[in-house]
Amino acid sequence: MRLAFTVIGVVCVALGVLGIALPVLPTTPFLLLAAALFARSSERLHGWLLHHRVLGRYIRDFMEERAIPRRVKIVSISMLWAAIWVSIFTAGMGRWWLQLLLAGVAVGVTVHILSFKTKG
């Protein structure tokens, strides 16, 4: 079971890192899941993740304060809407239902991000 938790944790870290650049893929939930899995499987990986120069901040901020830094909120929401608009006007052309679905996803994710306290 420890090996499975470690492997899934590594996959979650990879998805979390991708989420930094891809607006629709969330970063913090994947990193929180990875931290929980590493806590059950590998003290070394758990410590590495919590004290990582970049990734550790996401986890610590959220675990300690349930807050997202203002800059992260602004960048996340901006990138999300930019990607959604591009998708709506490329993949969604002529498909009103797809455009509506994409806009709905963007609104939902935006509301979710804004529902957390803002740090800084």
Side-chain angles (χ1 to χ4, degrees), residues 2 9 16 21 23 56 59 61 65 69 84 90 93 95 97 118:
R2 289 181 64 172
I59 298 165
D61 284 348
E65 303 176 37
I84 290 295
T90 56
M93 288 305 287
R95 299 182 188 124
W97 59 270
T118 301

Side-chain angles (χ1 to χ4, degrees), residues 1 8 13-14 19-20 33-34 68-69 76 80 86 91 93 97 105-107 109 117 119:
M1 216 42 194
I8 296 169
V13 169
I20 293 171
L33 180 56
I68 300 173
S76 298
L80 166 72
V86 168
M93 288 305 287
W97 59 270
V105 167
V107 168
V109 172
K117 287 190 301 187
K119 181 180 178 184

